[in-house]
């Protein structure tokens, strides 16, 4: 199984600049509390990764309970909301409008440079290694309109299918793109293209999906034999999430209702009959996230050893530390390539 490492450091502030991100969190909390006021409508669930029923309380976020699976260590919201209501939130809430109009625009260039370009490179390299012939891609349940537009403009792929987007096509202002997007999102294409799709992508989608099993089944059904599935997600096994735990600003509903452990991710993919070709954690932000949280909140319960490392304030040490996390699959940002058997 391949393990890839990146050697540039990132800054969390480049992707989530305070105070814009703070405002986004505040708006999200207020939306979620209104939208999911009736807690009786939420459903208790088994572990989305390994299906175990054994769990213990982990922490609560915005008044919603997260539990930790006692079998695989996955942290997930339970009870949780249904996928149709989660999609409704992404389509219509005030916080998401704020995200699109403000946060997404402020970080657009950095995202393009540090996230999307890496993604294309990753997909291209992997496809060249494992596939031949046409490159037909289906992107699933994306809430990221900017990314989908980049995909539609990408000439590397022959056919492009946008499955169940979690944003309003009407919000796309460019008419030519809107037309392309409508065509690529037409559900009839799902059937006419069956067995011709050899690439599927789930970029940070498991994170906000309540029925992960159906998501994996749908993805697998659409993919031809030998086809590749590209996944990114954050994992609770990673450094910043292990250290910050309930104080992490990356875990909150509904953006992150599942934070699977590494063991959980592997169990999930094997259970659905996929072969894992790559499992890397090429995250560049773990150390920076812990450092900036600690600077803002010196009272945070951070292990003594980590405090000692932070106190050295040594750039080379920080880079070496982040590199160590990547090499040993201990960063919280995971990227995975699966192959349908
Ligand atoms: Zn589990």
């Amino acid at each position: 199984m391949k393990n890839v490492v990146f050697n540039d450091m990132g800054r969390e502030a480049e992707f989530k600049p305070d105070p814009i991100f703070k405002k986004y969190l505040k708006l999200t909390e207020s939306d979620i509390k209104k939208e999911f006021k009736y807690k009786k409508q939420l459903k208790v669930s088994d572990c989305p990764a390994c299906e175990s029923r054994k769990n213990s309380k982990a922490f609560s976020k915005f008044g919603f309970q997260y539990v930790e699976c006692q079998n695989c260590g996955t942290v997930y919201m339970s009870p949780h909301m249904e996928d149709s209501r989660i999609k409704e939130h992404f389509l219509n809430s005030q916080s998401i409008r704020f995200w699109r109009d403000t946060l997404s625009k402020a970080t657009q260039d950095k995202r393009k440079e540090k996230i999307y370009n890496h993604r294309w490179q990753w997909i291209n390299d992997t496809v060249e290694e494992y596939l031949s012939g046409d490159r037909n891609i289906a992107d699933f349940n994306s809430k990221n309109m900017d990314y989908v537009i980049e995909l539609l403009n990408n000439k590397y792929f022959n056919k492009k299918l946008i499955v169940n987007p979690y944003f309003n096509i009407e919000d796309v202002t460019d008419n030519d793109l809107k037309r392309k997007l409508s065509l690529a999102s037409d559900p009839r294409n799902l059937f006419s293209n069956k067995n011709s799709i050899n690439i599927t992508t789930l970029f940070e989608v498991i994170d906000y999906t309540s029925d992960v099993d159906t998501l994996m089944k749908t993805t697998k059904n659409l993919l031809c034999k030998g086809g590749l599935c590209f996944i990114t997600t954050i994992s609770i096994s990673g450094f910043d999430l292990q250290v910050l735990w309930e104080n992490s600003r990356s875990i909150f509903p509904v953006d992150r209702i599942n934070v699977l452990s590494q063991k959980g991710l592997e169990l999930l993919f094997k259970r659905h009959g996929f072969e894992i070709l790559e499992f890397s954690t090429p995250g560049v932000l773990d150390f920076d996230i812990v450092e900036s949280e600690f600077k803002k909140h010196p009272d945070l319960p951070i292990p003594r050893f980590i405090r000692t490392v932070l106190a050295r304030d040594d750039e080379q040490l920080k880079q070496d530390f982040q590199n160590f996390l990547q090499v040993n699959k201990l960063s919280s940002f995971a990227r995975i390539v699966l192959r349908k058997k």
Side-chain angles (χ1 to χ4, degrees):
M1 197 192 302
K2 207 189 277 180
N3 178 25
V4 174
V5 171
F6 287 165
N7 48 13
D8 61 345
M9 285 288 280
R11 290 276 170 264
E12 198 206 12
E14 293 173 342
F15 304 103
K16 294 175 179 174
D18 269 355
I20 307 180
F21 188 63
K22 247 187 187 158
K23 181 156 186 212
Y24 172 64
L25 283 180
K26 239 186 147 148
L27 288 172
T28 304
E29 179 169 7
S30 132
D31 283 343
I32 299 293
K33 283 182 169 165
K34 270 184 253 158
E35 290 163 23
F36 303 102
K37 193 163 54 176
Y38 302 109
K39 295 264 168 74
K40 280 189 184 153
Q41 293 175 347
L42 305 182
K43 274 197 310 206
V44 172
S45 66
D46 304 336
C47 173
C50 75
E51 300 182 299
S52 167
R53 289 193 171 173
K54 287 186 183 163
N55 60 58
S56 53
K57 283 186 179 177
F59 45 78
S60 82
K61 279 291 174 89
F62 303 164
F64 295 85
Q65 183 64 52
Y66 281 75
V67 296
E68 182 181 9
C69 170
Q70 285 180 9
N71 177 48
C72 76
T74 285
V75 168
Y76 61 102
M77 187 200 270
S78 181
H80 63 80
M81 42 291 268
E82 285 179 4
D83 284 321
S84 57
R85 309 249 349 249
I86 293 174
K87 183 173 176 181
E88 184 65 25
H89 166 83
F90 285 119
L91 290 179
N92 294 321
S93 72
Q94 190 195 357
S95 48
I96 295 300
R97 248 191 318 275
F98 174 77
W99 171 274
R100 297 226 163 100
D101 296 343
T102 317
L103 193 52
S104 168
K105 286 208 165 69
T107 57
Q108 205 171 21
D109 292 343
K110 277 289 159 205
R111 279 172 201 278
K112 195 171 171 181
E113 176 201 334
K114 297 221 167 178
I115 301 178
Y116 305 155
N117 289 348
H118 275 303
R119 266 184 204 169
W120 302 134
Q121 194 60 50
W122 174 40
I123 297 177
N124 292 8
D125 291 348
T126 313
V127 164
E128 298 302 323
E129 190 175 345
Y130 294 103
L131 298 177
S132 57
D134 275 5
R135 298 174 287 265
N136 299 330
I137 188 169
D139 180 73
F140 277 80
N141 301 20
S142 180
K143 64 183 168 78
N144 194 336
M145 191 168 84
D146 290 343
Y147 169 70
V148 169
I149 288 174
E150 290 266 325
L151 171 60
L152 290 174
N153 284 326
N154 192 313
K155 298 207 165 41
Y156 179 71
F157 304 103
N158 300 86
K159 279 183 197 160
K160 299 156 195 169
L161 196 59
I162 309 300
V163 184
N164 190 26
Y166 275 39
F167 57 84
N168 286 309
I169 293 179
E170 290 312 306
D171 291 344
V172 178
T173 45
D174 181 320
N175 278 330
D176 184 40
L177 274 172
K178 195 186 281 184
R179 195 182 51 81
K180 276 193 204 164
L181 186 53
S182 305
L183 278 174
S185 311
D186 188 335
R188 279 169 299 183
N189 290 336
L190 279 174
F191 303 102
S192 61
N193 285 349
K194 198 160 164 67
N195 290 325
S196 67
I197 297 290
N198 53 0
I199 306 162
T200 55
T201 53
L202 295 169
F203 292 133
E204 279 156 76
V205 172
I206 289 174
D207 310 41
Y208 53 81
T209 298
S210 70
D211 190 350
V212 175
D213 267 332
T214 298
L215 174 72
M216 293 310 298
K217 272 182 209 155
T218 315
T219 310
K220 196 179 165 193
N221 282 341
L222 190 60
L223 206 54
C224 67
K225 194 168 183 282
L228 306 177
C229 175
F230 293 79
I231 292 175
T232 58
T233 184
I234 64 165
S235 165
I236 197 70
S237 310
F239 176 73
D240 62 300
L241 301 183
Q242 285 287 308
V243 172
L244 297 172
W245 201 243
E246 77 262 41
N247 296 307
S248 165
R249 293 197 303 167
S250 300
I251 305 174
F252 58 91
V254 293
D255 296 45
R256 295 245 163 68
I257 59 168
N258 300 315
V259 197
L260 275 63
S261 67
Q262 229 165 79
K263 181 181 168 190
L265 286 164
E266 288 178 9
L267 288 170
L268 173 71
F269 303 141
K270 285 185 182 156
R271 179 153 56 80
H272 283 276
F274 282 105
E275 177 191 358
I276 305 174
L277 296 178
E278 179 189 333
F279 196 121
S280 310
T281 71
V284 293
L285 298 176
D286 301 61
F287 195 86
D288 184 65
I289 289 172
V290 171
E291 185 178 34
S292 61
E293 285 305 314
F294 183 61
K295 275 185 184 156
K296 274 179 267 175
H297 312 282
D299 299 337
L300 273 182
I302 286 179
R304 206 180 282 267
F305 173 69
I306 307 298
R307 281 172 189 268
T308 307
V309 178
L310 287 168
R312 290 263 286 270
D313 197 25
D314 176 341
E315 277 308 312
Q316 188 60 48
L317 170 61
K318 287 177 202 172
Q319 270 194 32
D320 291 347
F321 197 97
Q322 188 65 40
N323 193 47
F324 163 83
L325 297 178
Q326 290 189 18
V327 171
N328 295 289
K329 300 187 189 178
L330 290 166
S331 161
S332 63
F333 172 72
R335 70 172 218 189
I336 298 139
V337 183
L338 308 175
R339 177 159 60 187
K340 179 172 168 176
K341 286 186 197 165

